[in-house]
Amino acid sequence: MTLFTNGFVTLKTPEGFDPIQNKGDFVELSLVNTKIPMTIKFSIAPTLAGLPAIKDAMEEQLNANPNIDVETADFIAINEDIYYMIISSIRTDKNEIKRNEFMFVKDNNLYSFEFVYPYADAELDDFYLNIIRSMEIKKPKYIISDDGYKLNDE
């Protein structure tokens, strides 16, 4: 594994994955391995919501899409932290895609991991959990105030 850091967070990234241009707001890291194939996306976003509210919003959004089947959605412990995990399948005309998402809130920052691949494989559990377990938060990226949020430049 190699190391990713942005001054706010450090985490280990797996060998064989190449960085790709970040797509979307708050995306810190996007990786792809075309041989597996799999993509990994790591995001940090400011939030005032806690995990229960995020859970409710995510499940409502996913359940409203008839092409998404939520297989598992629950709170789990990773290291000493509580994460919200969603494992879902997305059906397209050509195939079915698996998506595992893990979300964690600390200091009004939402840390989100997304793993997307075209097959089910329980052996991947340790693969993505090892990446999540390696995350070390140096300081919150965003500070929320009455005016919104700003980058933590301390």
Side-chain angles (χ1 to χ4, degrees):
M1 292 200 170
T2 57
L3 204 59
F4 163 80
T5 187
N6 62 2
F8 302 98
V9 172
T10 300
L11 57 95
K12 293 179 181 175
T13 60
E15 298 293 334
F17 281 76
D18 297 314
I20 56 176
Q21 184 175 358
N22 292 341
K23 296 179 180 175
D25 294 335
F26 307 113
V27 176
E28 300 293 321
L29 177 68
S30 293
L31 300 170
V32 65
N33 183 327
T34 56
K35 293 178 182 144
I36 294 179
M38 177 187 277
T39 61
I40 300 171
K41 183 167 60 171
F42 171 66
S43 305
I44 304 172
T47 185
L48 288 174
L51 281 181
I54 291 169
K55 171 193 178 295
D56 292 344
M58 290 296 296
E59 289 180 8
E60 182 179 320
Q61 178 184 7
L62 293 174
N63 288 332
N65 187 330
N67 294 326
I68 297 177
D69 292 323
V70 176
E71 298 171 14
T72 303
D74 206 351
F75 297 103
I76 64 167
I78 300 176
N79 293 339
E80 296 178 10
D81 300 312
I82 300 298
Y83 281 72
Y84 175 59
M85 171 190 70
I86 301 174
I87 299 174
S88 59
S89 298
I90 304 166
R91 290 182 312 278
T92 66
D93 291 339
K94 297 180 182 180
N95 57 13
E96 185 173 308
I97 299 167
K98 294 291 190 182
R99 180 173 63 192
N100 295 0
E101 296 177 82
F102 297 84
M103 291 162 258
F104 169 66
V105 175
K106 182 176 181 181
D107 297 326
N108 296 327
N109 282 244
L110 171 64
Y111 300 87
S112 175
F113 293 87
E114 178 183 89
F115 302 87
V116 178
Y117 48 98
Y119 50 86
D121 189 347
E123 292 180 11
L124 287 174
D125 290 355
D126 282 338
F127 172 80
Y128 52 75
L129 289 175
N130 286 336
I131 295 169
I132 296 168
R133 286 181 183 123
S134 77
M135 181 174 68
E136 182 181 332
I137 300 170
K138 307 285 186 189
K139 63 181 180 177
K141 182 168 184 178
Y142 299 103
I143 297 174
I144 297 180
S145 67
D146 292 339
D147 298 338
Y149 66 89
K150 67 177 185 168
L151 192 63
N152 184 355
D153 55 7
E154 297 176 5

